[in-house]
Amino acid sequence: FGEILVDAKVLTQEQLDAAQDEQRKTPQQPIAAIIARKGWASEDVVAQAQAQEAGLEFVRLMEHPPDPEAVALLSDRLARIHTCIPLRTEGSRLMLAMANPLDLVAIEDIERTTNLTVDPVVATPSEITQAIAHFHGAE
């Protein structure tokens, strides 16, 4: 993932190395969040690189707003814990916008809770947080 940002000249190799060092010290912190927090790349660019690396779609929630019926399938608590929001259902599948689409624990947790197969897509953490606040109220 970081190499995509280095190859695109969004990050320097030194910045990537520093982000990886920080992630080793705090493994619960995704490297994408570290890079965005340090201001080395915008949240948008980081999310798009994550999507590219994972071979997933990147969505802007302002352009593709969540279906309220899909949102209702997931509790406010789970949405906030995993920084994700359901976008829509299709049969036994749930399209889920995630800040970290590689979080298998989150995917399994949501599949167990909803009894649906999760199809992750990537959105920025701030857009997801705004959508959660819109549908569930401010924290």
Side-chain angles (χ1 to χ4, degrees), residues 74 78-86 96-99 106 110 128 132:
L74 195 62
L78 273 181
R80 289 184 197 281
I81 287 170
H82 296 305
T83 316
C84 64
I85 192 154
L96 184 71
M98 303 181 72
I110 291 159
I128 292 170
I132 292 168

Side-chain angles (χ1 to χ4, degrees), residues 5-66:
L5 294 174
V6 171
D7 291 346
K9 304 215 182 308
V10 171
L11 283 184
T12 66
Q13 187 62 51
E14 293 75 26
Q15 288 170 323
L16 175 59
D17 293 344
Q20 289 171 331
D21 287 344
E22 186 171 328
Q23 187 187 33
R24 278 189 280 281
K25 295 173 192 161
T26 56
Q28 71 281 7
Q29 181 87 268
I31 195 161
I34 294 167
I35 292 167
R37 187 184 74 245
K38 290 191 174 284
W40 292 335
S42 72
E43 199 181 48
D44 216 49
V45 168
V46 169
Q48 289 178 46
Q50 277 184 297
Q52 180 183 340
E53 178 199 35
L56 297 172
E57 182 182 355
F58 171 75
V59 296
R60 295 186 197 286
L61 299 183
M62 297 302 187
E63 296 168 12
H64 303 283

Side-chain angles (χ1 to χ4, degrees), residues 78 82 98 102-112:
L78 273 181
H82 296 305
M98 303 181 72
L102 303 178
D103 185 346
L104 298 180
V105 171
I107 291 171
E108 289 172 1
D109 200 10
I110 291 159
E111 285 181 339
R112 267 193 312 276

Side-chain angles (χ1 to χ4, degrees), residues 43 59-72 74-80 83-88 95-99 121-139:
E43 199 181 48
V59 296
R60 295 186 197 286
L61 299 183
M62 297 302 187
E63 296 168 12
H64 303 283
D67 173 7
E69 288 183 27
V71 173
L74 195 62
S75 73
D76 169 57
R77 182 182 147 281
L78 273 181
R80 289 184 197 281
T83 316
C84 64
I85 192 154
L87 296 180
R88 66 179 170 270
M95 180 182 279
L96 184 71
M98 303 181 72
V121 297
V122 181
T124 65
S126 62
E127 280 195 349
I128 292 170
T129 301
Q130 288 172 357
I132 292 168
H134 172 77
F135 286 100
H136 294 289
E139 198 171 356

